[in-house]
Amino acid sequence: MEKLNYKGFTITLKEQVEANMNADVNLSLKQVVKNNDLKLDALLFNKKGSNVSPTIYLNPLYSEYEKGLSIETIVSKITEQYNNLEIPDFNNELQNYLNYEKVKKRLAIKLVNYEKNKDYLQNVPHIRRLDLAITFQYVVEKKAKEHAAIQIKNSHLKQWNIGLDVLYEDALNNTTSFLPAVCYSLFDSVNNKYSNEPLDLDNLSLNEYDLLILTNESKVCGAATLFYPNILEKISQSLNSDLYIIPSSVHEILICPKNNNIDKDELNKLVNFVNRSEVAPDEILSDSIYIYDSSDRIITK
């Protein structure tokens, strides 16, 4: 059988998966713009009476198809995946979302690259920091390495009749307690010693070539901990050093003492290499290295 082109693959896949669904489930194809302006084609499952549409991205599936995986096998995998989903009922959450006093308790900040998300940020309240932007989300459901969240948009601020300053203050206050910062040793993590017990921020010590992983309790969008109040000051004091900050991904940053054994240009080369080879395109945060000056308590590029 002749191989389908990409468009034919998406249409055929939709039709065959939909044929396996109950009558109350309809499927639709939609382009989704993710972080860093990454555009992906998605298959959305729309169940009658549900306000949640599970999504499966088709671009990687077409790559598997091109490598020889049959469309029947892909259809079977998608059907099984959907049937095993536990789809939450967010009706109460949507009602809560109309009330800012309830929303602000689950607000969280999120970091994205400013230049890579310029178009998207036009409709999203944000605060620029360095080459980054602090954005805001309402965390509906919090799990380890997985969040269900709603992106806060400009229209929401009008609905709640609040300004960006209020949003920022409330989000920062809540994020630090709702998603507290944690530190791990990179060396221990690589060697499968990633313990659930984070390091003591007040009593840190590192081997010569070790780095700190700074993230949040859930390890989702944990790079935002970079701007938690006093976090870098505490780490700097504990290590008795200024700091190099390496934007590993939107989920975490790496930190090491700024000393003569580490060259900033070499770190920049390392970040560029890792971003191009190891980090998913929609999870890249920045190609820059930052420096925390403990005397002035500021971050610079």
Side-chain angles (χ1 to χ4, degrees):
M1 181 179 175
E2 186 179 347
K3 284 280 186 182
L4 297 168
N5 61 25
Y6 182 69
K7 184 176 181 180
F9 170 80
T10 60
I11 294 172
T12 301
L13 195 66
K14 172 185 176 296
E15 291 173 348
Q16 292 195 18
V17 172
E18 196 164 36
N20 289 344
M21 297 290 107
N22 293 330
D24 61 345
V25 180
N26 294 314
L27 271 64
S28 58
L29 293 169
K30 181 181 179 181
Q31 187 179 74
V32 176
V33 181
K34 295 176 71 66
N35 188 44
N36 294 336
D37 202 34
L38 178 66
K39 297 178 176 67
L40 295 177
D41 296 308
L43 190 62
L44 274 64
F45 293 77
N46 309 296
K47 186 175 182 179
K48 187 177 180 180
S50 175
N51 48 34
V52 179
S53 297
T55 301
I56 291 179
Y57 296 105
L58 303 183
N59 308 72
L61 293 178
Y62 186 65
S63 296
E64 292 188 33
Y65 172 71
E66 286 187 308
K67 292 175 183 176
L69 195 64
S70 70
I71 198 162
E72 290 78 15
T73 300
I74 296 173
V75 168
S76 178
K77 287 172 65 175
I78 291 175
T79 303
E80 182 180 1
Q81 184 178 344
Y82 176 80
N83 289 334
N84 291 332
L85 278 177
E86 293 182 10
I87 303 174
D89 182 358
F90 288 154
N91 282 320
N92 288 336
E93 294 295 343
L94 291 174
Q95 287 300 314
N96 289 341
Y97 201 64
L98 300 175
N99 185 336
Y100 181 69
E101 289 303 309
K102 293 182 178 179
V103 168
K104 72 178 185 180
K105 297 175 183 177
R106 299 181 75 87
L107 284 175
I109 62 173
K110 176 183 175 181
L111 279 188
V112 300
N113 185 280
Y114 178 78
E115 288 295 333
K116 292 179 185 291
N117 294 278
K118 246 182 174 179
D119 291 341
Y120 180 71
L121 289 171
Q122 291 181 19
N123 300 312
V124 171
H126 62 278
I127 296 173
R128 290 193 65 176
R129 292 285 190 275
L130 303 166
D131 57 343
L132 308 173
I134 299 173
T135 65
F136 308 88
Q137 55 184 351
Y138 171 65
V139 179
V140 180
E141 189 174 38
K142 181 180 73 169
K143 296 180 181 178
K145 298 186 178 181
E146 184 181 3
H147 282 177
I150 300 172
Q151 177 71 58
I152 306 298
K153 298 187 176 179
N154 293 333
S155 57
H156 298 138
L157 298 194
K158 291 180 181 179
Q159 175 184 313
W160 297 323
N161 194 28
I162 63 168
L164 178 58
D165 54 343
V166 172
L167 178 70
Y168 176 64
E169 182 179 355
D170 289 340
L172 200 59
N173 288 338
N174 285 285
T175 306
T176 52
S177 56
F178 182 55
L179 292 169
V182 290
C183 262
Y184 299 92
S185 157
L186 177 63
F187 180 82
D188 288 347
S189 301
V190 171
N191 286 277
N192 299 316
K193 298 176 183 177
Y194 208 136
S195 169
N196 288 327
E197 292 297 324
L199 301 175
D200 181 0
L201 287 172
D202 293 312
N203 190 28
L204 294 172
S205 62
L206 286 175
N207 296 326
E208 185 177 0
Y209 297 106
D210 200 1
L211 292 92
L212 289 175
I213 300 173
L214 178 63
T215 183
N216 61 32
E217 190 177 63
S218 294
K219 305 179 183 70
V220 178
C221 301
T225 51
L226 176 63
F227 294 113
Y228 280 18
N230 304 320
I231 188 70
L232 294 180
E233 179 184 1
K234 184 177 289 190
I235 293 173
S236 177
Q237 287 177 351
S238 190
L239 295 176
N240 192 29
S241 173
D242 293 344
L243 306 172
Y244 279 128
I245 300 166
I246 305 167
S248 178
S249 76
V250 296
H251 301 303
E252 63 186 25
I253 59 175
L254 301 178
I255 294 176
C256 64
K258 182 177 180 288
N259 56 49
N260 294 329
N261 296 328
I262 299 177
D263 181 77
K264 185 184 177 186
D265 290 337
E266 290 302 315
L267 282 178
N268 265 315
K269 290 177 184 177
L270 175 62
V271 170
N272 273 271
F273 173 77
V274 171
N275 279 348
R276 300 299 170 265
S277 60
E278 302 294 332
V279 182
D282 62 323
E283 295 184 355
I284 292 173
L285 182 57
S286 174
D287 290 333
S288 302
I289 297 295
Y290 311 128
I291 297 173
Y292 176 72
D293 185 311
S294 57
S295 298
D296 295 332
R297 298 182 185 179
I298 58 171
I299 309 170
T300 57
K301 285 177 65 176

